[in-house]
Amino acid sequence: MAQATFIQDGKYVDHTPVGALASGDVVVQGDLVGVVVRPLAAGEVGALVVDGVFDFAKEAGGGVTFAVGAIAYWDDTNNVAVATDGAGANKQIGKVVKAAADADATVRVRLSQ
């Protein structure tokens, strides 16, 4: 028996939400963070993007900035990108590809986990 069998390229993974999701919603499953491709109804099989570059809503105020190459994390409680892992509570989204200042509403991140 083969030790591994190719299934898909890995840019998208299947997801069946418990509740309805909008396109662009961020979904956290364990340490896997993905972005909803199109609106999904509860129980409908759809796809999460787990590879690519996205602008994520970010925490603003309090001196929150991101430098290119920094790791960005997702705060699933407040639905924003943050600069720290929050003692493991926030999950890694990926690496910042465009610097973001404190006043910026978004940060551009290349998904990588």
Side-chain angles (χ1 to χ4, degrees):
M1 175 171 197
Q3 292 180 328
T5 303
F6 179 80
I7 303 298
Q8 62 192 41
D9 69 9
K11 182 173 182 171
Y12 303 94
V13 295
D14 291 339
H15 178 66
T16 306
V18 175
L21 295 172
S23 176
D25 281 354
V26 177
V27 175
V28 176
Q29 298 179 51
D31 286 331
L32 180 67
V33 177
V35 179
V36 177
V37 175
R38 63 172 178 78
L40 294 174
E44 176 185 10
V45 177
L48 298 179
V49 178
V50 293
D51 183 24
V53 177
F54 293 85
D55 284 341
F56 287 90
K58 72 172 264 307
E59 181 179 37
V64 178
T65 62
F66 290 90
V68 172
I71 297 173
Y73 300 88
W74 187 251
D75 176 343
D76 204 33
T77 301
N78 296 303
N79 294 321
V80 291
V82 296
T84 67
D85 72 353
N90 303 327
K91 301 304 177 183
Q92 181 176 326
I93 303 170
K95 301 270 177 58
V96 173
V97 296
K98 181 180 177 187
D102 185 43
D104 291 336
T106 62
V107 60
R108 186 161 296 164
V109 178
R110 179 187 177 278
L111 291 175
S112 60
Q113 292 140 38

